[in-house]
Amino acid sequence: MNVNHTEDVLILAIESSCDETAASVVKNGRTVLSNVISSQIATHTVYGGVVPEIASREHIKAINYVIERALAEAETTMDDITAIGVTYGPGLVGALLVGVAEAKAIAYAARKPLIGVHHIEGHVSANFIENKDLEPPFICLIVSGGHTHLVVVKDYGEFEIIGHTRDDAAGEAFDKVARAVGLGYPGGPKIDKAAKEGNPHAIEFPRGKVADSPYDFSFSGLKSAVLNHINHAKMTGEEICVPDLVASFQNSVVDSLVSRAIHAAKEYGYSKLAIAGGVASNTALRAAMKKACEENGIAFYHPSPVFCTDNAAMIGAAAYYEYIRGNRSGWDLNAVPNLKLGER
């Protein structure tokens, strides 16, 4: 796709799919002029996870502020903005509706084009922000709290799914195991930190495989194995070394993710591999993927941690490529909580 434009395209992007209220101004899909995130982690930690109704209310409180700040930090006004991009799915329906309603109101009032963005496509597009040389096609592993996908990025906004999780997403397994060992919420960062003090080979947990698909993932068996290990230790009075347990669990997840991604890149003949999503900020996953790519002559791309977790800059990047393809959303744009990758 030809992406050469003589005039700069500035996207004001809004993201509110879960528990971060975010706004960003992105220039030409790759240059972030501002990236403002209002996190609700402290609010939800007391409940051990995200409470949808509370998330929606917090978005309503924060959304005008983050947008105003994003414009101010980018030293822009609405007159400078080319189009409004917003996440419309997947995610929590109430949370999504706050962002969609706000984006529609701003676009209508300012007479700007409206562009609905798929949240997962946003995660993939986060790789374009800091990797100026990265262009499709390439393999991308998307790993987050609700999604685990292995895709071929054929072009900007064009994906072929070659693998996905059959049960729990990797991030979901991290949260459940963290809760079981008393580390609390959010599980991913807490396990990542605790695992650094542990032995990743202390316990050999299973690697879930799907018989009829070499690229699909399964983490429910691993999660059950960890819970069974904890229950057995409690019944026999055996002391649990939490760092060893979570390091071993994390090692199993990382091994499953890396082995399939590398296998796919080689099998499909791609020399570029990227990772995306909240779990892509996991230090063990990044280190293992980097090592495996180096050993196999594959170029490895990844966003900085701030662009791995939910943010609006990635939505702005994705919206830019939708904009130059001529894609626009109507005033009937609505939240689609179960939107599948590749759906419009």
Side-chain angles (χ1 to χ4, degrees), residues 142-258:
I142 306 154
V143 208
S144 67
H147 305 272
T148 306
H149 284 89
L150 196 53
V151 304
V152 177
V153 183
K154 293 184 163 186
D155 200 347
Y156 297 103
E158 191 179 329
F159 305 87
E160 178 190 350
I161 301 170
I162 57 175
H164 62 94
T165 183
R166 295 291 185 93
D167 39 60
D168 290 359
E172 189 180 348
F174 269 92
D175 282 339
K176 288 176 178 175
V177 168
R179 194 177 300 126
V181 296
L183 289 177
Y185 174 85
K190 291 181 183 292
I191 284 181
D192 193 359
K193 184 179 178 182
K196 288 182 170 67
E197 310 298 321
N199 174 10
H201 303 289
I203 309 159
E204 285 304 320
F205 286 121
R207 273 72 168 154
K209 291 185 178 177
V210 180
D212 58 343
S213 176
Y215 302 123
D216 279 356
F217 305 91
S218 173
F219 297 108
S220 66
L222 167 62
K223 180 194 66 185
S224 297
V226 174
L227 297 178
N228 288 340
H229 181 89
I230 294 167
N231 290 335
H232 181 264
K234 285 178 179 175
M235 285 190 293
T236 57
E238 180 188 339
E239 189 178 337
I240 297 171
C241 176
V242 171
D244 280 357
L245 187 143
V246 296
S248 300
F249 158 75
Q250 180 175 263
N251 187 47
S252 176
V253 174
V254 168
D255 189 26
S256 295
L257 295 170
V258 172

Side-chain angles (χ1 to χ4, degrees), residues 304-316:
S304 291
V306 70
F307 297 126
C308 289
T309 50
D310 290 352
N311 66 90
M314 68 183 195
I315 303 304

Side-chain angles (χ1 to χ4, degrees), residues 30-312:
R30 305 241 176 184
T31 304
V32 177
L33 303 182
S34 63
N35 189 36
V36 180
I37 303 169
S38 175
S39 176
Q40 301 177 14
I41 284 177
T43 304
H44 296 285
T45 296
V46 66
Y47 303 104
V50 178
V51 181
E53 175 64 22
I54 293 174
S56 302
R57 291 174 185 272
E58 293 298 313
H59 285 308
I60 291 168
K61 289 181 195 172
I63 196 157
N64 284 332
Y65 168 73
V66 297
I67 290 169
E68 287 167 8
R69 223 178 106 198
L71 288 168
E73 288 187 11
E75 297 181 348
T76 56
T77 68
M78 282 308 303
D79 290 339
D80 304 313
I81 298 298
T82 310
I84 314 298
V86 63
T87 304
Y88 73 102
L92 302 173
V93 64
L96 289 165
L97 281 168
V98 176
V100 169
E102 182 84 4
K104 286 163 74 171
I106 292 172
Y108 185 81
R111 298 183 178 179
K112 305 289 183 181
L114 176 68
I115 301 166
V117 174
H118 193 295
H119 181 74
I120 304 305
E121 292 187 16
H123 276 302
V124 174
S125 299
N127 281 285
F128 300 135
I129 293 169
E130 296 160 304
N131 303 303
K132 309 299 184 189
D133 61 324
L134 177 61
E135 292 184 357
F138 57 90
I139 295 283
C140 188
L141 173 70
I142 306 154
V143 208
S144 67
H147 305 272
T148 306
H149 284 89
L150 196 53
V151 304
V152 177
V153 183
K154 293 184 163 186
D155 200 347
Y156 297 103
E158 191 179 329
F159 305 87
E160 178 190 350
I161 301 170
I162 57 175
H164 62 94
T165 183
R166 295 291 185 93
D167 39 60
D168 290 359
E172 189 180 348
F174 269 92
D175 282 339
K176 288 176 178 175
V177 168
R179 194 177 300 126
V181 296
L183 289 177
Y185 174 85
K190 291 181 183 292
I191 284 181
D192 193 359
K193 184 179 178 182
K196 288 182 170 67
E197 310 298 321
N199 174 10
H201 303 289
I203 309 159
E204 285 304 320
F205 286 121
R207 273 72 168 154
K209 291 185 178 177
V210 180
D212 58 343
S213 176
Y215 302 123
D216 279 356
F217 305 91
S218 173
F219 297 108
S220 66
L222 167 62
K223 180 194 66 185
S224 297
V226 174
L227 297 178
N228 288 340
H229 181 89
I230 294 167
N231 290 335
H232 181 264
K234 285 178 179 175
M235 285 190 293
T236 57
E238 180 188 339
E239 189 178 337
I240 297 171
C241 176
V242 171
D244 280 357
L245 187 143
V246 296
S248 300
F249 158 75
Q250 180 175 263
N251 187 47
S252 176
V253 174
V254 168
D255 189 26
S256 295
L257 295 170
V258 172
S259 61
R260 284 166 178 75
I262 295 293
H263 181 54
K266 291 167 73 174
E267 190 83 6
Y268 280 77
Y270 289 102
S271 58
K272 295 181 284 189
L273 195 160
I275 57 174
V279 182
S281 61
N282 180 277
T283 56
L285 173 60
R286 291 163 88 91
M289 195 70 85
K290 182 174 185 285
K291 182 171 182 285
C293 283
E294 285 171 353
E295 289 171 352
N296 288 277
I298 298 167
F300 175 47
Y301 298 89
H302 55 82
S304 291
V306 70
F307 297 126
C308 289
T309 50
D310 290 352
N311 66 90

